[in-house]
Amino acid sequence: MVRSLSFIHLFIILAVGYIGGALLFREMPATGIERLITFYDTRVVKGHEAGYIRPVATAALFFLVAFALASFNKTRFLVLFFGAVKCVFFGLSSSYLLSTGAKMMAYSIWWFPFQFISCFLFLMYCAVLSPPYFMNTTLGKRRNTRALPTIIGLSVAVLAIEIVVFRFILQ
């Protein structure tokens, strides 16, 4: 029961973050949106002219910041919030892509599925680092972090496949 609750919890965070990003898109000026999206993924704004180092560095930065937040007891509660921030960027970038006239085929093959999977994997990473209240360990037990290398490996594989799809299939 607890395992299914955690997946439902993560999907709710993902959905609310995505919708929050879409609503944020409606309220922000275009220059502010482009600056935020350029930080998250330059390819959304610049297309094929953008390099591939920046998306990889941004993904690594998200994982490192979440790990740093989980390392200290005073900031551990911010880990899932930081995962939700990534979901907001996902919704904001999706709204920007659709509003700028991106081809629906490119959006449905490249952006949405890969970002959805990578956001969910990142939320799983955050939940393993700092479990929600209903998954907390009892006193004296340590957190089970055996899943972290698997989640990181899957995230790297999804990012690599996304770059290949963007580079070679969507030209």
Side-chain angles (χ1 to χ4, degrees):
M1 179 68 179
V2 172
R3 287 184 184 160
S4 63
L5 259 180
S6 62
F7 281 116
I8 292 168
H9 182 79
L10 296 179
F11 275 121
I12 289 172
I13 292 172
L14 179 62
V16 169
Y18 182 86
I19 292 169
L23 292 174
L24 183 64
F25 176 78
R26 290 178 36 156
E27 300 301 323
M28 283 183 68
T31 56
I33 290 171
E34 285 183 1
R35 268 190 254 132
L36 277 175
I37 293 173
T38 301
F39 164 74
Y40 181 62
D41 197 343
T42 320
R43 298 173 297 171
V44 174
V45 177
K46 295 183 180 176
H48 285 284
E49 293 85 35
Y52 299 103
I53 303 244
R54 189 128 187 196
V56 172
T58 304
L61 180 70
F62 271 103
F63 279 94
L64 290 174
V65 169
F67 187 78
L69 289 173
S71 298
F72 303 105
N73 285 334
K74 301 251 185 217
T75 59
R76 186 165 289 144
F77 70 95
L78 291 172
V79 175
L80 277 175
F81 175 75
F82 192 66
V85 168
K86 182 174 168 87
C87 297
V88 169
F89 279 132
F90 169 43
L92 187 68
S93 301
S94 293
S95 298
Y96 180 82
L97 267 175
L98 291 173
S99 72
T100 56
K103 295 178 183 169
M104 191 53 104
M105 189 64 99
Y107 178 77
S108 61
I109 290 175
W110 163 61
W111 182 254
F112 187 81
F114 288 107
Q115 288 300 315
F116 179 78
I117 292 169
S118 68
C119 279
F120 187 72
L121 286 171
F122 184 70
L123 284 173
M124 285 176 50
Y125 176 78
C126 292
V128 169
L129 286 176
S130 176
Y133 67 93
F134 54 84
M135 289 179 53
N136 280 341
T137 58
T138 58
L139 293 173
K141 285 188 168 182
R142 291 176 28 101
R143 290 176 291 154
N144 186 2
T145 58
R146 289 184 310 205
L148 288 179
T150 305
I151 293 171
I152 292 171
L154 286 171
S155 297
V156 168
V158 166
L159 183 62
I161 293 170
E162 176 198 0
I163 289 173
V164 167
V165 166
F166 181 73
R167 176 78 176 140
F168 297 112
I169 295 176
L170 296 177
Q171 285 203 6

